[in-house]
Amino acid sequence: MASPNVSALFFDYISLQSFLIFGSLVFGNGKGWKYHRRTTLRALRNFGMGKRSLENKINEEARYLARSFEDESGRPFNPQPSVQNAVSNVICSISFGNRYEYDDPEFRSLLDYIKMFMSKLAVPSIVSKIPKLWVTPFYKSLKKQTDECISFLRGVVEHHKATFDSNDIRDIIDVHLQDNDDECGAEEKLPRSLIWRGIFDLFAAGTDTTSNAILWAMLVLTQYPHVQEKAQQEIDDLIGRERPPSLPDRLHLPYVDATLMEIQRFRPVGCFVPPRAASVDTELRGYTILKGTPVWVNLYAVLHSPKHWKDPEEFIPERFLSADGKRTETPEAFIPFGLGSRICIGEQLARMELFLFMTNLLQRFTFEFPKEDPKPNLAGELGITLSPGRFRICAVNR
């Protein structure tokens, strides 16, 4: 009989594999993954992705965010917590059916975990190979935080089960409850017990990637004030400073749109596509890649390749503009969300949020880097995403 310690490690290992793979929109595979992705994409569309209803929610959250910036009265502050709260509340509203106050301790704790997890995602993969590492203090702490996050999400799903009404589908969790059942024998169905896992992917990836994109935008614009000023002028000319922006405005704000595209190219939050596996034996540049071999795609290299971009290390929004400057153009090598059937499921939502949040903020504020702070590190910090790290900023009322 195995000793209690070995047995516990075994179950930790199985739990970790379940956490990383089973029910995951990012790491899952096969018929179950395809069905889960289709259901989630349909739910995202039903709850407003690309529609006016979600636009209103994003604009409302942008107002809360602007209010938190105004409370700083132009003084240097760390914008990361408020930006993360605002972005997360958008995905919460369509996943959980409600938003959270910025000072909610449970919500704040969950967001802190998400930030930690996304910055150290390589750690669980190491433990999956050497499960005895769970007994070390660092990994035990990580596991405790992971268990707390899982417990929170399972609790949300259980509450939805208890209050479920098939005639009143409130959010993405309800869509999955309506569509899946533990007793269903179909291979592609996702058991209700795993619904929390896909919600974690939406919540974690949807929070971390978009919040980092907004933080990069604010930081980069402080270093290129002429770009910020030109984008603000275009917003003033079309929208003014009173009316909230709308998605159709993007077609008439080519410089703003080009600036946001250049931010995604210049500092892509997703430097690497999550690991995939070769579906067949493949020959590539003299190398044999056997079926099942993990494959990583370096998006940062694509978005900074001199073969595709002139002066790739320079920040030049005009590279995305037509010759007359009246519309944006998308080069083939611009793939910040990946390609193919596993392209980021939240691409359209992320584009909506980045445009609406930044347009709202640029209407109200000019972002400046504090003169007393050391020059910002634009290289960023690499975890599963590329973040700008901790920095302070001044949001000066216009």
Side-chain angles (χ1 to χ4, degrees):
M1 180 180 294
S3 69
N5 286 342
V6 173
S7 177
L9 289 173
F10 173 75
F11 285 111
D12 282 341
Y13 175 79
I14 296 300
S15 175
L16 179 66
Q17 297 306 302
S18 175
F19 181 75
L20 289 177
I21 299 173
F22 300 117
S24 172
L25 289 165
V26 177
F27 298 105
N29 209 349
K31 291 182 179 179
W33 168 80
K34 290 181 180 178
Y35 187 87
H36 188 194
R37 181 183 169 91
R38 285 199 304 269
T39 302
T40 303
L41 188 57
R42 171 168 54 84
L44 283 168
R45 289 169 177 162
N46 288 346
F47 286 98
M49 189 169 71
K51 298 179 181 178
R52 191 62 179 265
S53 57
L54 187 54
E55 174 189 304
N56 292 336
K57 289 182 180 179
I58 297 172
N59 276 333
E60 178 186 18
E61 204 60 49
R63 288 193 291 273
Y64 285 110
L65 180 60
R67 192 176 305 159
S68 73
F69 283 11
E70 286 172 349
D71 289 342
E72 303 297 336
S73 302
R75 297 183 299 266
F77 72 103
N78 174 16
Q80 184 269 328
S82 294
V83 170
Q84 191 181 38
N85 285 339
V87 171
S88 184
N89 263 331
V90 174
I91 197 67
C92 282
S93 68
I94 57 180
S95 295
F96 303 163
N98 62 279
R99 69 178 299 278
Y100 293 85
E101 294 300 325
Y102 288 6
D103 58 357
D104 184 294
E106 189 173 43
F107 182 51
R108 186 68 255 159
S109 177
L110 184 62
L111 291 179
D112 288 342
Y113 168 77
I114 295 298
K115 184 171 180 60
M116 180 278 299
F117 182 84
M118 295 298 284
S119 66
K120 296 179 173 65
L121 190 58
V123 170
S125 64
I126 294 172
V127 184
S128 71
K129 303 300 182 184
I130 314 174
K132 287 187 178 181
L133 289 175
W134 275 132
V135 301
T136 63
F138 177 80
Y139 293 108
K140 286 175 71 175
S141 174
L142 176 64
K143 181 180 182 299
K144 180 177 182 293
Q145 290 178 296
T146 300
D147 289 343
E148 289 174 354
C149 179
I150 293 173
S151 177
F152 173 84
L153 292 173
R154 281 177 169 163
V156 173
V157 174
E158 288 302 316
H159 175 73
H160 275 64
K161 288 181 183 178
T163 58
F164 178 73
D165 180 356
S166 60
N167 296 314
D168 180 23
I169 303 302
R170 299 161 292 186
D171 47 42
I172 292 176
I173 293 177
D174 275 357
V175 171
H176 284 293
L177 288 174
Q178 183 183 50
D179 204 56
N180 302 291
D181 193 292
D182 279 327
E183 285 69 44
C184 181
E187 179 182 351
E188 69 273 10
K189 289 284 187 176
L190 178 73
R192 287 187 173 194
S193 60
L194 288 179
I195 289 173
W196 68 270
R197 183 60 186 85
I199 297 300
F200 174 85
D201 282 350
L202 287 177
F203 185 73
T207 296
D208 190 75
T209 55
T210 304
S211 60
N212 276 330
I214 292 171
L215 290 169
W216 272 122
M218 292 191 295
L219 180 59
V220 169
L221 289 177
T222 66
Q223 305 305 299
Y224 295 87
H226 66 286
V227 173
Q228 180 173 201
E229 183 178 352
K230 188 172 180 179
Q232 288 173 321
Q233 187 60 57
E234 189 177 61
I235 293 169
D236 289 349
D237 291 344
L238 180 70
I239 304 174
R241 302 188 189 180
E242 300 299 327
R243 174 177 73 82
S246 64
L247 290 177
D249 289 331
R250 183 160 49 185
L251 293 175
H252 307 289
L253 295 171
Y255 190 80
V256 172
D257 200 23
T259 298
L260 298 178
M261 293 169 75
E262 176 67 345
I263 285 166
Q264 293 173 84
R265 184 207 67 82
F266 184 65
R267 289 297 178 264
V269 295
C271 288
F272 298 92
V273 172
R276 307 303 182 206
S279 56
V280 296
D281 292 351
T282 305
E283 294 289 330
L284 180 65
R285 295 185 177 180
Y287 292 91
T288 300
I289 302 174
L290 299 178
K291 178 181 178 180
T293 301
V295 177
W296 293 76
V297 177
N298 188 340
L299 287 182
Y300 190 94
V302 174
L303 295 169
H304 285 79
S305 170
K307 294 181 180 179
H308 303 292
W309 310 96
K310 182 180 178 181
D311 300 321
E313 298 304 323
E314 298 296 324
F315 184 75
I316 309 172
E318 287 79 6
R319 70 172 85 243
F320 289 99
L321 289 174
S322 60
D324 60 8
K326 294 183 178 180
R327 66 183 186 280
T328 56
E329 296 180 342
T330 306
E332 186 178 9
F334 184 66
I335 52 171
F337 296 94
L339 286 172
S341 62
R342 300 199 69 135
I343 192 171
C344 174
I345 194 171
E347 175 187 8
Q348 193 172 5
L349 174 60
R351 291 185 187 278
M352 285 179 67
E353 289 182 284
L354 184 58
F355 173 76
L356 291 173
F357 273 118
M358 285 307 302
T359 305
N360 268 286
L361 292 174
L362 288 172
Q363 273 185 309
R364 294 167 171 79
F365 306 103
T366 294
F367 296 110
E368 298 176 357
F369 197 77
K371 294 181 176 61
E372 63 269 30
D373 286 7
K375 187 175 181 179
N377 174 18
L378 293 184
E381 297 178 357
L382 183 60
I384 190 63
T385 55
L386 182 67
S387 73
R390 184 183 177 88
F391 67 93
R392 298 197 307 168
I393 202 169
C394 298
V396 181
N397 279 302
R398 299 181 63 202

